[in-house]
Amino acid sequence: MQNPFARERSLGVSRTRRRYDLPLNKAGGTGFLTLLIGLMTFLALLALSASFVLSAMTDRWSSGLENRVTIEIPAENEAGKILSSEETKKTGLKIESLLTSHPAVLRTHIMTDEEIRELVKPWLGENLMLGKIPLPGLISAELQEMTPETIQILEKKIKAIHKTARIDTHEEWLGDLLRFTGALQFAAFILALVIGLATITAVAGAVRSHMAVYHAEVELLHLMGAHDSYISRQFQRHSLSLAFQGGLCGVAIGGLCLLIIGWISGEMGVSLLPDFRMGYLQLGVLATLPVFMALISALAARQTVLKVLRKMP
Amino acid sequence: MIRFEHVGLRYGIGPEVLSDISFALEPGSFHFLTGSSGAGKTSLLTLIYLGRRPTRGLITMFGQNINGLSRAELAPIRQRIGVVFQDFRLLNHMSAFDNVALPLRIQGKAESEIRNNVQELLEWVGLGDHMHVLPNTMSGGQQQRVAIARAVITRPRLLLADEPTGNLDSEIGFRLMNLFEQLNRMGTTILIATHDQTMIERFEHNKLVLDHGGLRVEEPKHWLSKKIDGVF
Ligand SMILES: Nc1ncnc2c1ncn2[C@@H]1O[C@H](COP(=O)(O)OP(=O)(O)OP(=O)(O)O)[C@@H](O)[C@H]1O
Ligand SMILES: [Mg+2]
């Protein structure tokens, strides 16, 4: 007996392929929507990366500085006389022994000239004859807990040893920095939100116009007793797949851009900033962007279809 | 099975196309629906297949007052009704096979069951060689047969047909009427809107006649005269 499916096969009609009851994949505007979602994903990728880099920066800058103070011994005394480096060192040692004897202080470290040179290099340049410039003394100290009282007491004692010495708690510039990066992160967050909303709006608009174009077909399904969820699934699947495709393109192009940016900044030797490599978790988040775009698109399509269908009897 | 009580329908702010319609279709009955063009046959069928809500009156379907039902509750009722639309309403982007399979897919039937049933039915209506042809490349009569196959594939409890034999030669027309009769014998309630007097006379069934927005029931003349002969 002849295989009953032989004819179907010979006609090239596969019966297992998932099909649409509505010709959505042939509908106009599909390419446009894919492109739009690709662009949105691209922007979202850049915004998220920027936000990750910023948070890595603030982490790195603030983590090293927590509960740390730096005692600065200026290279000149209150009378404006330049101190020799031996004198500065002697004062430094005196202050250090004072600090170590205090119970609130955990650790101290007198920075060597080398370390100080390394610190000021980005600002003053290597070529300056650093050896000839009198360097201030710097002592970094780690406290058990940074309270204003402790700082006050320590400052008083230090001033008794050297009038112009002062404690720098980094609070001021760190606070400014954190406020600045916080604002940038907030902007990135708002940008991501706007991208999400724009995607939802675009998908909803496309679904609405498709439903208008295929009104007769949609109504027919409805009259045959299709539940709203059956009809919305058609649009959902379609939006899901094209948003995923768009998302993949966006992430691919965005990733390429990030690599190029990374390469250029590496080439130009932007070593002023520490190296901000993203962690696996953050890369993972970026990689799931297409999935996320696909999901919000499907959800937007579903809500739109259900809303339109509610007008049918 | 179906009961209309004082049902009226108007489109927008136009005049009432149907006014004060009351009738009942018993389970397993077979009726023709006639009336001149524009009398409201299609409109009445639309009310029955729940394509529109009436402007007034009470409609009871399968024992349920449809005014009190939610949208979700109407879907299973619609699944029990097969409709042959006057303009067919076939989906032109899918094959005849897929068009006929659509109601089964909507009802979530298994693909193997769908394949066998649809193939069998299409062969039965003489379209075995046209299963994978798109409807818009078919003749009017072929499209009509696809539309009929789609309406009966689910073995509906109620079958509504709007001019189902309009485009068919009498040979195929009678075959399809026989299909309807066969379905009717298996318990499907049938209501067919038609102008076709020969059909109405040949198959002796009760007639619902639409006239000036009202509806009256007529028994078949043949049958009526036989009854009178028997009595007197
Ligand atoms: N969607 C609609 N909007 C407005 N008026 C309509 C609509 N459908 C039908 N009508 C009007 O309702 C009246 C009845 O139309 P209907 O299609 O029900 O008649 P019919 O008996 O099926 O006619 P035919 O035998 O020509 O198919 C007509 O006057 C028509 O103009
Ligand atoms: Mg009509």
Side-chain angles (χ1 to χ4, degrees):
Chain A
M1 206 188 107
Q2 202 202 350
N3 181 341
F5 309 135
R7 183 165 48 187
E8 279 167 13
R9 270 202 218 112
S10 70
L11 285 162
V13 182
S14 155
R15 291 270 148 254
T16 49
R17 184 173 51 93
R18 271 314 276 144
R19 18 155 293 282
Y20 291 104
D21 294 341
L22 305 167
L24 293 177
N25 33 6
K26 288 174 203 134
T30 298
F32 171 74
L33 195 60
T34 312
L35 180 71
L36 191 84
I37 288 176
L39 283 174
M40 291 295 173
T41 314
F42 174 77
L43 288 178
L45 185 88
L46 293 191
L48 274 177
S49 310
S51 143
F52 288 156
V53 165
L54 283 172
S55 89
M57 268 161 79
T58 49
D59 273 3
R60 200 171 294 196
W61 282 339
S62 57
S63 75
L65 295 173
E66 212 173 327
N67 287 336
R68 274 182 197 224
V69 294
T70 306
I71 290 99
E72 191 191 332
I73 305 158
E76 48 189 71
N77 65 10
E78 69 267 32
K81 185 181 157 257
I82 306 279
L83 299 178
S84 71
S85 70
E86 282 74 38
E87 277 174 300
T88 312
K89 260 181 203 128
K90 231 189 278 166
T91 320
L93 283 172
K94 252 192 249 167
I95 292 179
E96 194 199 14
S97 66
L98 167 103
L99 289 172
T100 37
S101 66
H102 195 278
V105 180
L106 290 180
R107 226 165 282 131
T108 57
H109 169 69
I110 300 183
M111 288 199 196
T112 63
D113 286 358
E114 284 307 304
E115 287 171 319
I116 295 172
R117 264 186 209 122
E118 195 61 31
L119 268 181
V120 297
K121 197 170 75 183
W123 315 102
L124 301 180
E126 273 178 87
N127 303 339
L128 283 176
M129 301 297 285
L130 278 175
K132 299 214 172 125
I133 295 177
L135 290 173
L138 291 177
I139 305 169
S140 73
E142 195 180 337
L143 306 184
Q144 216 151 35
E145 197 187 0
M146 182 137 56
T147 61
E149 293 85 56
T150 326
I151 299 294
Q152 244 171 16
I153 292 169
L154 286 177
E155 183 141 49
K156 224 170 168 185
K157 290 189 172 171
I158 290 166
K159 287 239 194 269
I161 294 171
H162 190 86
K163 261 261 171 61
T164 52
R166 42 177 229 94
I167 295 186
D168 184 357
T169 56
H170 316 294
E171 252 163 9
E172 241 166 72
W173 74 272
L174 194 61
D176 282 348
L177 184 76
L178 289 182
R179 261 192 299 283
F180 175 65
T181 53
L184 286 182
Q185 268 181 302
F186 183 69
F189 170 75
I190 293 289
L191 186 61
L193 204 69
V194 168
I195 289 168
L197 285 177
T199 306
I200 289 173
T201 312
V203 170
V207 166
R208 253 173 207 285
S209 83
H210 281 168
M211 284 192 84
V213 171
Y214 298 113
H215 177 80
E217 285 84 349
V218 169
E219 192 187 28
L220 181 75
L221 294 179
H222 177 66
L223 292 178
M224 285 177 166
H227 285 279
D228 291 359
S229 57
Y230 179 93
I231 298 173
S232 74
R233 231 176 290 140
Q234 313 255 335
F235 289 91
Q236 258 165 265
R237 262 197 296 137
H238 182 242
S239 303
L240 189 89
S241 90
L242 68 80
F244 187 66
Q245 287 168 29
L248 278 184
C249 292
V251 163
I253 296 171
L256 204 66
C257 279
L258 288 183
L259 282 181
I260 292 173
I261 291 173
W263 178 73
I264 290 176
S265 58
E267 280 290 288
M268 292 189 345
V270 186
S271 50
L272 174 57
L273 304 175
D275 181 23
F276 300 112
R277 226 166 262 291
M278 274 186 259
Y280 285 117
L281 183 71
Q282 294 170 325
L283 287 176
V285 168
L286 295 183
T288 54
L289 260 181
V291 177
F292 180 74
M293 287 310 239
L295 286 181
I296 64 168
S297 300
L299 211 64
R302 177 186 160 78
Q303 290 308 319
T304 311
V305 174
L306 292 183
K307 204 167 148 199
V308 174
L309 283 179
R310 241 173 270 141
K311 286 183 199 128
M312 289 190 181
Chain B
M1 164 159 278
I2 293 167
R3 178 183 302 282
F4 273 49
E5 289 166 76
H6 310 293
V7 171
L9 173 71
R10 67 170 82 235
Y11 293 101
I13 53 162
E16 266 198 325
V17 175
L18 303 172
S19 50
D20 204 31
I21 302 273
S22 297
F23 69 94
L25 297 184
E26 295 307 320
S29 62
F30 195 130
H31 286 84
F32 286 116
L33 175 64
T34 65
S36 54
S37 181
K41 300 183 291 297
T42 303
S43 303
L44 181 61
L45 293 182
T46 308
L47 289 181
I48 301 177
Y49 66 70
L50 307 180
R52 247 172 216 284
R53 298 249 188 189
T55 357
R56 63 190 172 98
L58 193 69
I59 298 179
T60 312
M61 304 277 294
F62 307 109
Q64 285 171 290
N65 172 6
I66 63 142
N67 292 349
L69 295 181
S70 68
R71 282 174 41 77
E73 288 166 324
L74 290 180
I77 294 184
R78 291 196 178 99
Q79 291 185 2
R80 289 188 235 168
I81 307 173
V83 187
V84 184
F85 297 96
Q86 192 166 10
D87 50 0
F88 315 144
R89 301 209 198 170
L90 298 175
L91 299 184
N92 283 321
H93 66 277
M94 53 166 81
S95 66
F97 180 97
D98 284 329
N99 267 282
V100 176
L102 191 55
L104 294 175
R105 288 187 172 132
I106 286 175
Q107 294 182 14
K109 294 285 191 295
E111 211 51 38
S112 57
E113 182 190 344
I114 291 175
R115 189 162 24 207
N116 295 334
N117 289 350
V118 172
Q119 205 159 350
E120 194 183 328
L121 183 60
L122 278 174
E123 265 155 22
W124 200 89
V125 296
L127 290 175
D129 296 333
H130 291 72
M131 275 198 231
H132 302 292
V133 174
L134 295 181
N136 53 4
T137 62
M138 290 178 153
S139 75
Q142 288 172 330
Q143 291 184 27
Q144 196 153 31
R145 281 179 276 159
V146 175
I148 291 167
R150 186 181 65 185
V152 302
I153 188 73
T154 56
R155 295 172 189 261
R157 300 259 308 271
L158 171 66
L159 180 75
L160 306 174
D162 204 347
E163 307 282 355
T165 55
N167 288 299
L168 301 179
D169 59 50
S170 50
E171 151 74 21
I172 291 181
F174 282 124
R175 253 185 89 177
L176 285 169
M177 282 303 294
N178 278 322
L179 168 66
F180 291 152
E181 297 241 293
Q182 208 172 314
L183 280 170
N184 181 238
R185 276 196 291 278
M186 294 192 315
T188 301
T189 309
I190 294 187
L191 179 61
I192 296 177
T194 184
H195 284 116
D196 193 339
Q197 281 305 320
T198 51
M199 212 56 96
I200 294 174
E201 268 155 35
R202 173 144 176 193
F203 297 86
E204 300 174 346
H205 295 295
N206 285 358
K207 266 198 304 188
L208 302 177
V209 183
L210 272 172
D211 192 12
H212 294 102
L215 183 90
R216 61 171 192 277
V217 185
E218 281 180 14
E219 298 199 339
K221 288 203 185 84
H222 231 69
W223 194 28
L224 201 65
S225 56
K226 260 191 245 164
K227 221 160 60 181
I228 293 169
D229 286 348
V231 170
F232 297 102

